[in-house]
């Protein structure tokens, strides 16, 4: 009985230490979430203004044309997949990876029909284990990435479309909704679409030297910014998912400690009762 009590006490102590760790990780993720959410919000006005300018040119001029705006026959599809470098974030990684894996299997019959660009160790290891075609990857991004951190992979993704390595590019990531919710997002990045319609009446632009030359510079930057904005959004969703997962783990540990404590007290009471019974029985035998 004493051995059992020691085992239960050891499990209580181990669970308390685990709860301390998960609580600390929850607090770290909460702080990171606050900064990541601010970064994503600060980037929104920049994207809105860039989209306004691109829309003004693309929809307001019949002469301005660019290959990134034109659809072409699809021979190969690119998939830009955003995951984390580590787990302990609930279903954050698995939701994206499951959906992308199923989508590729449904759309393509051969590995020659698609190519993957992967962000995060979890996604990279997932696709490597399945021998899927990966043409570029990046790992070890900071919790608060700057544009310089991802410019190389974003520029390469746009360049691979420009040189017709693939004919369309889809991006998959978790879109941050709130601290307790993130939604899987599938977005077609290239070719660039959605610029049709009326130009905003409160914005008027004069272009120098020409609309075509401006598009030549602006469209690649716009596509790269779409990727960067999605990464900021995904980082906020990652921190929120990890914070929620660690909070749930802390609550579960607290429940376990309560159950173990109740079991420990019952076993201890049973042991005390047994000892008293043995003493009384011994005294009775001596009489």
């Amino acid at each position: 009985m004493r051995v059992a009590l020691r085992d239960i006490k050891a499990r209580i102590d181990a669970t308390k230490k685990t709860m301390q760790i998960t609580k600390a990780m929850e607090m770290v993720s909460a702080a990171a979430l606050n900064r990541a959410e601010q970064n994503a919000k600060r980037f929104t006005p920049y994207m809105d203004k860039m989209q306004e300018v691109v829309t003004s040119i693309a929809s307001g001029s019949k002469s301005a044309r660019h290959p990134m705006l034109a659809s072409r026959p699809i021979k190969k599809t690119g998939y830009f997949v955003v995951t984390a470098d580590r787990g302990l974030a609930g279903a954050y990684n698995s939701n994206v990876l499951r959906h992308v894996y199923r989508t590729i299997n449904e759309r393509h019959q051969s590995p020659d029909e698609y190519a993957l660009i992967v962000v995060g160790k979890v996604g990279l290891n997932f696709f490597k284990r399945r021998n899927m075609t990966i043409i570029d990857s990046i790992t070890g991004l900071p919790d608060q990435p700057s544009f310089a951190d991802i410019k190389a992979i974003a520029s390469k993704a746009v360049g691979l479309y420009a040189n017709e390595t693939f004919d369309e590019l889809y991006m998959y990531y978790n879109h941050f909704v709130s601290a307790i919710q993130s939604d899987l997002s599938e977005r077609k990045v290239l070719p660039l679409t959605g610029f049709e319609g009326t130009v905003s009446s409160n914005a008027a632009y004069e272009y120098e030297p020409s609309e075509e030359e401006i598009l030549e510079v602006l469209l690649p930057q716009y596509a790269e910014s779409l990727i960067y904005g999605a990464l900021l959004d995904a980082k906020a969703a990652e921190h929120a998912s990890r914070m929620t997962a660690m909070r749930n783990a802390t609550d579960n540990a607290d429940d376990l400690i309560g159950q173990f404590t109740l079991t420990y007290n019952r076993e201890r009471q049973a042991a005390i009762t047994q000892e008293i019974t043995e003493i009384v029985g011994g005294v009775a035998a001596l009489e």
Side-chain angles (χ1 to χ4, degrees):
M1 189 64 68
R2 291 178 180 176
V3 175
L5 287 175
R6 284 200 300 268
D7 290 344
I8 297 172
K9 187 65 167 61
R11 295 187 70 179
I12 292 174
D13 293 340
T15 306
K16 284 182 178 179
K17 291 178 181 178
T18 301
M19 187 172 69
Q20 291 174 349
I21 295 172
T22 56
K23 185 64 177 177
M25 293 179 68
E26 178 191 344
M27 295 174 66
V28 170
S29 295
L33 169 61
N34 186 45
R35 291 184 58 195
E37 189 176 359
Q38 290 177 3
N39 290 340
K41 288 180 178 178
R42 280 197 297 263
F43 190 69
T44 300
Y46 170 80
M47 282 302 304
D48 290 343
K49 178 56 68 175
M50 180 173 280
Q51 183 172 1
E52 181 182 318
V53 176
V54 172
T55 301
S56 174
I57 300 175
S59 63
S61 172
K62 295 181 179 179
S63 61
R65 293 291 180 267
H66 193 279
M68 292 177 68
L69 296 173
S71 299
R72 58 184 184 236
I74 307 301
K75 299 176 183 177
K76 194 169 188 175
T77 301
Y79 295 92
F80 195 103
V81 185
V82 182
T83 62
D85 284 321
R86 59 189 189 275
L88 300 177
Y92 175 83
N93 293 302
S94 59
N95 284 344
V96 172
L97 295 174
R98 236 185 353 252
H99 181 77
V100 173
Y101 184 68
R102 183 173 60 249
T103 299
I104 290 176
N105 287 332
E106 291 174 353
R107 290 181 181 174
H108 308 291
Q109 303 298 321
S110 167
D112 297 330
E113 297 177 358
Y114 70 89
L116 286 158
I117 301 173
V118 186
V119 176
K121 289 181 182 178
V122 176
L124 182 61
N125 293 334
F126 176 88
F127 292 119
K128 276 185 175 180
R129 286 196 299 268
R130 289 158 179 79
N131 298 317
M132 301 181 76
T133 307
I134 302 172
I135 57 174
D136 199 12
S137 64
I138 185 172
T139 59
L141 285 177
D143 286 340
Q144 314 298 332
S146 66
F147 184 73
D149 294 321
I150 61 93
K151 179 170 175 53
I153 193 170
S155 298
K156 184 173 182 178
V158 174
L160 289 170
Y161 175 82
N163 64 26
E164 300 188 11
T165 299
F166 46 72
D167 304 296
E168 59 181 354
L169 177 63
Y170 286 89
M171 182 163 52
Y172 295 85
Y173 63 98
N174 282 293
H175 165 60
F176 174 77
V177 179
S178 68
I180 60 173
Q181 180 185 353
S182 60
D183 296 334
L184 176 63
S185 178
E186 176 182 2
R187 183 171 189 175
K188 190 173 185 178
V189 180
L190 294 167
L192 294 168
T193 57
F195 299 121
E196 299 79 5
T198 305
V199 182
S200 176
S201 59
N202 60 359
Y205 300 96
E206 293 183 3
Y207 302 104
E208 182 69 30
S210 70
E211 295 174 344
E212 289 81 1
E213 291 178 87
I214 292 173
L215 282 180
E216 191 70 31
V217 175
L218 196 60
L219 286 180
Q221 294 179 358
Y222 178 65
E224 292 170 9
S225 297
L226 288 176
I227 294 173
Y228 179 55
L231 281 169
L232 292 179
D233 193 3
K235 275 294 182 182
E238 177 188 345
H239 296 314
S241 297
R242 184 165 289 110
M243 181 186 71
T244 301
M246 292 302 98
R247 180 183 298 150
N248 292 337
T250 301
D251 293 342
N252 290 338
D254 191 41
D255 291 341
L256 279 175
I257 290 172
Q259 295 173 16
F260 289 148
T261 301
L262 182 61
T263 302
Y264 178 84
N265 290 336
R266 286 175 176 171
E267 293 294 335
R268 182 169 175 271
Q269 187 61 48
I272 293 173
T273 302
Q274 179 67 27
E275 290 178 2
I276 293 174
T277 302
E278 291 174 356
I279 293 172
V280 171
V283 171
L286 290 175
E287 293 179 351

